[in-house]
Amino acid sequence: MSTSAVAVSEPRLERALSLSSCITITTGAVIGVGLFTTGSAAAVSMGTSAIIATVIAFLMVLWPSLLYGEMGAALPLAGGTYAFAKRAISYPVGIFCSWNYTVAQIGIAGAEALAFANYFGCLLNFLGYTSPVNEKVLASGLIVLFVLINYFGIKAAGKFQNAFMFFFWGMSTIWFFNVLKDVDFANFMPLFAGIPHEVTSMAQLIVAVWWCFAGFETVVGMGSEIEFPQITIPRALIISPFIVYGVNALFYWFLIGITPLDMVSDVSGATAPFASAMNAAGIVGLPAIILCLGITFGGDFSTMNPCITGPSRYMYTMSKDGCFPKVLGKLHPKYKSPYVAVLTIGVIVLFLIWSGSIAIIAAMCAFSQMICYMIGFLSYIFLYKKEPGLSRPWVAPLGTVGAVVNLIVYGVVMVLAVDWSALPYNLVLCAACLAYYFFEVRNRPMPETAKELEASELVLKAPDAEEMASLNKEYRCWKWGAVIVFVVASGAFALGTLL
């Protein structure tokens, strides 16, 4: 069967995601509840020194983002790191990566859904009401909502993602202006005063802040659904880290500025540091409502959406490759979504929420996600060795050096970030994955149709002059927006240290 025959006889994923959607998917996957819990708790405990941890975390994702930008432009395929690893290293390594990625995303999806239920309850309390609905019911309803959105295809998922992210940014801006008058510059300590003397303690705080940057590679998992991916993917991954840095730094700045110095220990130990800080500062009413609205219907929603979209694409691609049941590789005839994979992800998350197992899966996230990143860096190195002639429309600066450096850095971070109580479950997952490959996949050759379909996905259309002008205009708007946010956030901390 020829490549063109495969393209005609089988439904194809639709290339419909623009640069804007790629950026909101990437930033939305990163900017979640972690910013308002563990990240902010670490930031307020460090005071002004939080900007140092934020810069380090930013640098820890900037170079990897560029590496993924290069691989995503060269191999814009569904499945992201799985697609890279199976081609660059080996098929079993790709499968191993995919299992870990899927578990990480399922854990984040369930945890975000339950966090939404908690923040929604806080929102109702601020409005003078009590939630009559159990948190598991609310979380389940949210999962069903995002399964439906993704069932209707990538166009719907992209449009909703833009709406969620812009709502979050809009509500955040309103909140910033509402509490600006309450910022006390006396709360900003000297720049290095909040750095712990123990190296391990400092490393753990950096890891807590870095966790608010994790997920930067999400969009490459949807490579087969991005318009002009050879241009769009690297641009999205250049811009997104700067936006995430700016948003995180601004929230940390406001949190430090409104937290009275004698309440720092209480706020840093709270499960909802922003709510505790506002209560300590006497900021009640409208600002609290605005913040909760932004977190629940913006931050939570923008994280939940990619958590369903991403793993369903990994599952779909593995089905096409013959290592998962064929039914998971079915596309909706109208919406071109891998609807069976989407529904399957939803059912798994619902089961874990109601069984109470989601806490275990969520605790496994850090280890599983680190494994995927390290496999991604190895894939970059091996891809140059195995396919030096591969067309690379965009090349990361000092890419091989960056892959080696980040492989070491992320290995250290994995040791520091791992939840030791969850490690046995991670090891069981890894063993189960290897056993699955050995007994179920090892002697099953990858279908020729899968190879031909992948080859057809790499035949990319080049934009015409009008399309290129539109792409460049959109890129300039996002680039300047990212620069402004980056400069404002950095300037705010500089001002805090000077006054």
Side-chain angles (χ1 to χ4, degrees), residues 226-361:
I226 297 172
E227 293 179 318
F228 307 116
Q230 68 274 36
I231 299 169
T232 301
I233 290 177
R235 286 181 172 184
L237 291 178
I238 290 169
I239 289 172
S240 296
F242 288 89
I243 295 176
V244 173
Y245 164 88
V247 172
N248 284 354
L250 280 171
F251 269 105
Y252 295 156
W253 186 83
F254 276 95
L255 178 63
I256 294 164
I258 65 174
T259 302
L261 290 176
D262 59 347
M263 296 295 294
V264 167
S265 59
D266 292 335
V267 173
S268 63
T271 55
F274 278 87
S276 297
M278 286 192 291
N279 285 331
I283 306 171
V284 294
L286 184 60
I289 294 171
I290 291 170
L291 184 62
C292 281
L293 281 171
I295 294 173
T296 51
F297 297 105
D300 266 341
F301 277 25
S302 64
T303 302
M304 282 294 307
N305 198 27
C307 284
I308 301 296
T309 311
S312 63
R313 271 57 182 178
Y314 276 67
M315 195 173 282
Y316 160 81
T317 305
M318 291 179 71
S319 172
K320 287 296 184 184
D321 287 349
C323 60
F324 270 176
K326 287 185 178 180
V327 68
L328 294 172
K330 296 187 71 171
L331 291 182
H332 194 283
K334 180 179 179 181
Y335 303 117
K336 302 298 186 291
S337 63
Y339 67 102
V340 179
V342 168
L343 293 171
T344 302
I345 293 293
V347 169
I348 293 172
V349 179
L350 288 173
F351 170 77
L352 292 171
I353 288 174
W354 283 96
S355 67
S357 305
I358 197 65
I360 296 173
I361 302 299

Side-chain angles (χ1 to χ4, degrees), residues 132-451:
V133 184
N134 178 277
E135 67 173 13
K136 289 185 177 180
V137 174
L138 279 173
S140 299
L142 191 62
I143 296 296
V144 171
L145 170 64
F146 284 101
V147 166
L148 285 174
I149 288 173
N150 281 275
Y151 179 91
F152 289 112
I154 199 67
K155 279 186 179 179
K159 288 179 180 178
F160 275 102
Q161 185 69 13
N162 288 342
F164 299 145
M165 208 67 244
F166 279 104
F167 178 78
F168 172 74
W169 288 333
M171 297 305 290
S172 298
T173 302
I174 295 171
W175 184 79
F176 291 157
F177 281 107
N178 265 271
V179 300
L180 185 59
K181 65 181 185 303
D182 299 297
V183 171
D184 185 353
F185 285 96
N187 296 337
F188 291 90
M189 302 178 292
L191 183 58
F192 297 100
I195 296 179
H197 295 294
E198 300 82 6
V199 174
T200 303
S201 299
M202 179 60 183
Q204 289 173 345
L205 289 172
I206 291 173
V207 168
V209 174
W210 171 86
W211 187 245
C212 302
F213 285 77
F216 58 85
E217 83 301 343
T218 301
V219 75
V220 298
M222 302 155 209
S224 293
E225 296 164 288
I226 297 172
E227 293 179 318
F228 307 116
Q230 68 274 36
I231 299 169
T232 301
I233 290 177
R235 286 181 172 184
L237 291 178
I238 290 169
I239 289 172
S240 296
F242 288 89
I243 295 176
V244 173
Y245 164 88
V247 172
N248 284 354
L250 280 171
F251 269 105
Y252 295 156
W253 186 83
F254 276 95
L255 178 63
I256 294 164
I258 65 174
T259 302
L261 290 176
D262 59 347
M263 296 295 294
V264 167
S265 59
D266 292 335
V267 173
S268 63
T271 55
F274 278 87
S276 297
M278 286 192 291
N279 285 331
I283 306 171
V284 294
L286 184 60
I289 294 171
I290 291 170
L291 184 62
C292 281
L293 281 171
I295 294 173
T296 51
F297 297 105
D300 266 341
F301 277 25
S302 64
T303 302
M304 282 294 307
N305 198 27
C307 284
I308 301 296
T309 311
S312 63
R313 271 57 182 178
Y314 276 67
M315 195 173 282
Y316 160 81
T317 305
M318 291 179 71
S319 172
K320 287 296 184 184
D321 287 349
C323 60
F324 270 176
K326 287 185 178 180
V327 68
L328 294 172
K330 296 187 71 171
L331 291 182
H332 194 283
K334 180 179 179 181
Y335 303 117
K336 302 298 186 291
S337 63
Y339 67 102
V340 179
V342 168
L343 293 171
T344 302
I345 293 293
V347 169
I348 293 172
V349 179
L350 288 173
F351 170 77
L352 292 171
I353 288 174
W354 283 96
S355 67
S357 305
I358 197 65
I360 296 173
I361 302 299
M364 295 167 63
C365 286
F367 182 89
S368 293
Q369 204 154 10
M370 285 294 177
I371 286 288
C372 292
Y373 290 144
M374 294 175 72
I375 290 175
F377 302 144
L378 283 172
S379 297
Y380 185 94
I381 296 168
F382 278 81
L383 199 58
Y384 264 98
K385 292 182 176 295
K386 187 174 286 188
E387 298 188 56
L390 178 68
S391 174
R392 293 172 169 83
W394 187 84
V395 178
L398 298 174
T400 302
V401 175
V404 173
V405 169
N406 282 286
L407 188 61
I408 296 169
V409 170
Y410 276 60
V412 173
V413 170
M414 183 174 69
V415 173
L416 295 173
V418 67
D419 186 330
W420 293 102
S421 65
L423 185 59
Y425 297 102
N426 286 111
L427 297 178
V428 169
L429 169 69
C430 293
C433 174
L434 294 174
Y436 177 81
Y437 172 78
F438 185 81
F439 292 109
E440 290 292 327
V441 182
R442 182 169 59 98
N443 296 319
R444 188 187 307 164
M446 185 181 295
E448 286 300 316
T449 53
K451 298 176 183 178

Side-chain angles (χ1 to χ4, degrees), residues 97-115:
C97 171
S98 185
W99 276 49
N100 276 279
Y101 175 84
T102 301
V103 165
Q105 292 300 299
I106 285 173
I108 294 170
E112 287 285 345
L114 290 170

Side-chain angles (χ1 to χ4, degrees), residues 39-110:
S40 53
V44 75
S45 69
M46 295 181 71
T48 313
S49 302
I51 191 60
I52 298 174
T54 307
V55 169
I56 293 172
F58 165 71
L59 294 175
M60 285 176 63
V61 301
L62 181 58
W63 214 349
S65 292
L66 302 181
L67 301 179
Y68 272 87
E70 179 179 331
M71 289 191 290
L75 298 171
L77 302 165
T81 310
Y82 163 74
F84 306 152
K86 74 175 182 181
R87 184 162 178 153
I89 307 175
S90 69
Y91 191 27
V93 172
I95 294 173
F96 183 79
C97 171
S98 185
W99 276 49
N100 276 279
Y101 175 84
T102 301
V103 165
Q105 292 300 299
I106 285 173
I108 294 170

Side-chain angles (χ1 to χ4, degrees), residues 450-467:
K451 298 176 183 178
E452 291 166 350
L453 184 60
E454 181 176 295
S456 72
E457 293 285 354
L458 297 179
V459 179
L460 301 174
K461 172 191 172 186
D464 59 30
E466 184 177 347
E467 289 168 331

